[in-house]
Amino acid sequence: MTESSTPTPSDDGSPRRGFGVDVGGSGVKGGIVDLDTGTLIGERFKLPTPQPSTPDAVAKTIAQVVKEFGWDGPLGVTYPGVVTGGIVRTAANVDKGWIGTNAQEVIGAELGGRHVTVLNDADAAGLAEEKFGAGKDNTGVIVLLTFGTGIGSAVIHNGVLLPNTEFGHLEVGGKEAEHRAASSVKEAKEWSYERWTKEVTKVLVAIENAIWPDLFIAGGGISRKADKWIPMLENRTPVVGAALQNEAGIVGAAMAADVAGS
């Protein structure tokens, strides 16, 4: 579908390229990234997440996505849970067989032994939004929250990521934050934006009372309609909608791989 590509230096005038794959509960999507602009080079390619979403099955799907582009260099891959040192620690929305798996080794082996950088999906989105998206003109502490089936989180301080924050599991008023304010809760309870934002506000206040961020970035699918609900929030910290939308995870994964290889 796309030309064979490896990261290329920018001193010859061509874009510095990377490759990212974003693994979610329903889809696995990837693409070639211009690391200087944070934009995709060509179209992304997406396949359904295999069911059951075991490590081997997902690794094979990732390999199919990579093969579609003929990419033969290092790459970054997001995972919807906690990853430390390449090892998966949680599995809320994928097969429990992931827990304890060395994701970098399993995915790398499926790709012929090449180097793979694996990181939390919200962390990847946060890196991309901070550098190229809604947070690019801001300094200090930026918190990205992805509102979807649950609530993912990323904390970046002046470009440096604090990995694997799990603000979606904070207890807020006797209930987990994501059980209170994920967009899936809004859908299940058929709440209006006004009703839902009352719950989102409670979660934001709990976070800002703990770490005093300078900016919140709201991501997830519901961020596409940010103008309908962000103005209703009543917390003190500014909140903006994510700019990169569904490409943020791919871009952030490619960025992480680039840093790991530098």
Side-chain angles (χ1 to χ4, degrees), residues 37-56:
T37 64
T39 57
L40 295 192
I41 299 173
E43 299 293 321
R44 65 177 184 165
F45 179 70
K46 181 177 181 178
L47 292 173
T49 301
Q51 300 300 329
S53 50
T54 61
D56 286 344

Side-chain angles (χ1 to χ4, degrees), residues 184-235:
S184 60
V185 176
K186 177 186 181 300
E187 295 169 10
K189 298 192 175 184
E190 299 183 341
W191 281 345
S192 64
Y193 282 110
E194 184 176 12
R195 173 67 185 87
W196 178 64
T197 54
K198 292 183 186 299
E199 302 303 321
V200 176
T201 293
K202 292 174 185 176
V203 170
L204 299 184
V205 169
I207 295 170
E208 63 191 5
N209 283 348
I211 67 170
W212 284 76
D214 296 286
L215 178 72
F216 280 114
I217 299 175
I222 201 165
S223 67
R224 296 191 196 95
K225 299 179 180 178
D227 59 320
K228 295 183 179 295
W229 60 273
I230 285 181
M232 297 181 187
L233 296 170
E234 298 178 347
N235 62 298

Side-chain angles (χ1 to χ4, degrees), residues 32 83 205 220 228 240:
I32 299 172
V83 183
V205 169
K228 295 183 179 295
V240 296

Side-chain angles (χ1 to χ4, degrees), residues 24-165:
S26 61
V28 177
K29 53 186 182 287
I32 299 172
V33 176
D34 183 328
L35 294 169
D36 295 318
T37 64
T39 57
L40 295 192
I41 299 173
E43 299 293 321
R44 65 177 184 165
F45 179 70
K46 181 177 181 178
L47 292 173
T49 301
Q51 300 300 329
S53 50
T54 61
D56 286 344
V58 172
K60 284 180 170 58
T61 303
I62 291 170
Q64 287 181 267
V65 172
V66 175
K67 184 179 179 181
E68 186 72 16
F69 293 85
W71 183 264
D72 55 8
L75 66 149
V77 176
T78 77
Y79 171 80
V82 174
V83 183
T84 60
I87 297 174
V88 171
R89 306 298 183 183
T90 64
N93 297 309
V94 288
D95 191 86
K96 302 303 181 188
W98 276 99
I99 298 175
T101 296
N102 189 319
Q104 291 182 178
E105 289 185 357
V106 170
I107 298 167
E110 192 64 38
L111 291 167
R114 79 184 73 177
H115 183 73
V116 177
T117 300
V118 182
L119 71 162
N120 172 267
D121 55 352
D123 283 348
L127 286 172
E129 287 288 344
E130 190 272 342
K131 185 169 184 179
F132 298 113
K136 67 180 179 180
D137 296 322
N138 293 268
T139 58
V141 177
I142 295 175
V143 176
L144 170 96
L145 297 174
T146 57
F147 295 90
T149 303
I151 298 177
S153 61
V155 177
I156 301 102
H157 178 238
N158 292 335
V160 179
L161 173 71
L162 175 65
N164 292 308
T165 55

